[in-house]
Amino acid sequence: MQAAPVRATALPLPSVTGALRAVESLLMRNGQRTARRNAWTAVLEDRRRAEDRRAAQHVLEAAATRSTSAT
């Protein structure tokens, strides 16, 4: 009677984000972590608003060009 072959299964590696969050939780207290995440959320929101402003500026410039060439 032979023993069943043993298969080696690799454990899933943590993602970079997960690893960084684990380090973050070790180094920072809850309040600091929350403040840091809130700050990052604000940065992302500012970037979104800036992109919206650029898009609006592009539309306004295109409309001004069309109205100038139409006269």
Side-chain angles (χ1 to χ4, degrees), residues 60-71:
L60 291 173
E61 288 172 357
T65 303
R66 276 189 228 120
S67 65
T68 303
S69 63
T71 57

Side-chain angles (χ1 to χ4, degrees), residues 33-70:
R33 191 174 338 135
T34 301
R36 184 178 158 278
R37 286 191 183 145
N38 289 344
W40 182 244
T41 300
V43 167
L44 295 177
E45 184 65 20
D46 287 346
R47 289 179 182 175
R48 187 192 62 75
R49 283 191 204 116
E51 181 61 33
D52 289 347
R53 280 192 302 273
R54 284 190 294 271
Q57 183 66 33
H58 180 71
V59 169
L60 291 173
E61 288 172 357
T65 303
R66 276 189 228 120
S67 65
T68 303
S69 63

Side-chain angles (χ1 to χ4, degrees), residues 4-52:
V6 177
R7 293 186 184 182
T9 58
L11 294 175
L13 295 176
S15 67
V16 173
T17 303
L20 289 174
R21 286 189 190 224
V23 170
E24 175 188 54
S25 68
L26 290 173
L27 297 177
M28 295 184 173
R29 294 183 177 157
N30 286 337
Q32 291 173 324
R33 191 174 338 135
T34 301
R36 184 178 158 278
R37 286 191 183 145
N38 289 344
W40 182 244
T41 300
V43 167
L44 295 177
E45 184 65 20
D46 287 346
R47 289 179 182 175
R48 187 192 62 75
R49 283 191 204 116
E51 181 61 33
D52 289 347

